[in-house]
């Protein structure tokens, strides 16, 4: 087990070094034409700990996947285990599946509807999972270098914007910047009926099921404090008024 973790960590570090050395694109742009990767810190989510360096398709059960289609139609499916190391979110209008270690095994998205698929939103947190992106510095403890979204195969002329949303941190710590709860895909020209794409997007598992939640924004905390203080003052004034 130790050798497996060391080999995987070295493999991730080598891939990251190669990507940096071979890339001359601006930050946020994927090396493949037609793909743009964006990062939106959103609302920080916290979890106690991660399980380790490897997550497979059968370990993400419970994730929700929402597909959007031309004309305004949507369909949501919940990720379920489909076999050893494999899982999928399937509906009558689309199917998203993955088998093997998410670091080096592809996801497959297929449009099963008669309409154009315009977007896909994945909430990994509901499946005790987080997305792990490529990171140059010290990552979150329990997570090695990840792999940011990249297209493996798809129809020619397809433009994709992949946006990671809502940073994830360990409880009591600030987010490092390598983990996100959500991944949203937007297809500029749409994914036509019957077409498929395959892509890479690494993930990690939470150590404890259900152990993830959003940290309230500072403005929300301030408002809550004002409300509490206001109620306390109102109660004191009521007691101070003679009967």
């Amino acid at each position: 087990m130790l050798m497996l973790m060391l080999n995987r960590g070295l493999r991730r570090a080598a891939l990251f070094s190669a990507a940096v050395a071979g890339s001359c694109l601006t930050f946020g742009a994927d090396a493949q034409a037609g793909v743009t990767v964006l990062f939106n810190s959103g609302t920080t989510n916290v979890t106690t700990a991660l399980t380790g360096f490897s997550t497979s398709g059968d370990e993400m059960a419970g994730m929700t996947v929402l597909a959007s289609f031309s004309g305004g139609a949507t369909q949501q499916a919940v990720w379920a285990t489909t076999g050893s190391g494999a899982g999928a979110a399937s509906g009558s209008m689309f199917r998203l599946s993955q088998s093997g270690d998410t670091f080096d095994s592809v996801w497959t998205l297929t449009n099963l509807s008669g309409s154009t698929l315009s977007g896909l939103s994945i909430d990994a947190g509901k499946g005790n999972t987080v997305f792990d992106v490529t990171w140059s510095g010290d990552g979150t403890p329990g997570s090695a270098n990840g792999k940011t979204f990249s297209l493996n195969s798809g129809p020619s002329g397809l433009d994709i914007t992949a946006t990671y949303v809502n940073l994830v941190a360990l409880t009591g710590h600030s987010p490092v910047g390598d983990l996100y709860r959500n991944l949203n895909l937007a297809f500029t020209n749409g994914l036509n009926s019957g077409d498929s794409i395959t892509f890479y997007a690494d993930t990690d598992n939470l150590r404890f099921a259900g152990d993830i939640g959003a940290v309230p924004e500072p403005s929300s905390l301030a408002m809550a404090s004002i409300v509490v203080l206001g109620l306390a003052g109102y109660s004191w004034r009521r007691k101070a008024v003679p009967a």
Side-chain angles (χ1 to χ4, degrees), residues 61-243:
M63 288 196 309
T64 57
V65 184
L66 178 65
S68 302
F69 301 85
S70 60
T74 61
Q75 185 176 60
Q76 179 172 288
V78 178
W79 194 271
T81 298
T82 58
S84 178
S90 300
S92 59
M93 303 177 73
F94 78 98
R95 175 179 170 83
L96 178 67
S97 61
Q98 199 282 331
S99 179
D101 185 346
T102 56
F103 183 75
D104 50 19
S105 299
V106 298
W107 304 60
T108 301
L109 171 64
T110 303
N111 182 1
L112 303 174
S113 74
S115 304
T116 300
L117 178 62
S118 57
L120 196 77
S121 297
I122 307 172
D123 184 348
K126 291 187 176 180
N128 303 309
T129 303
V130 293
F131 287 100
D132 184 10
V133 302
T134 305
W135 192 250
S136 58
D138 293 332
T140 300
S143 174
N145 286 326
K147 180 177 288 186
T148 304
F149 177 93
S150 63
L151 186 64
N152 179 63
S153 67
S156 60
L158 184 67
D159 291 324
I160 304 174
T161 298
T163 305
Y164 288 91
V165 186
N166 298 325
L167 283 166
V168 176
L170 296 188
T171 304
H173 300 271
S174 298
V176 174
D178 58 339
L179 303 181
Y180 289 83
R181 174 168 178 159
N182 304 82
L183 174 61
N184 300 330
L185 305 181
F187 304 96
T188 303
N189 305 317
L191 184 66
N192 293 328
S193 176
D195 282 350
S196 297
I197 64 169
T198 60
F199 61 87
Y200 293 100
D202 190 31
T203 62
D204 292 332
N205 272 141
L206 309 183
R207 178 171 294 178
F208 306 108
D211 180 34
I212 189 169
V215 176
E217 297 291 341
S219 58
S220 299
L221 289 173
M223 181 60 69
S225 298
I226 291 172
V227 171
V228 171
L229 289 173
L231 290 174
Y234 173 72
S235 176
W236 180 86
R237 286 195 301 272
R238 288 194 61 189
K239 291 180 179 178
V241 174

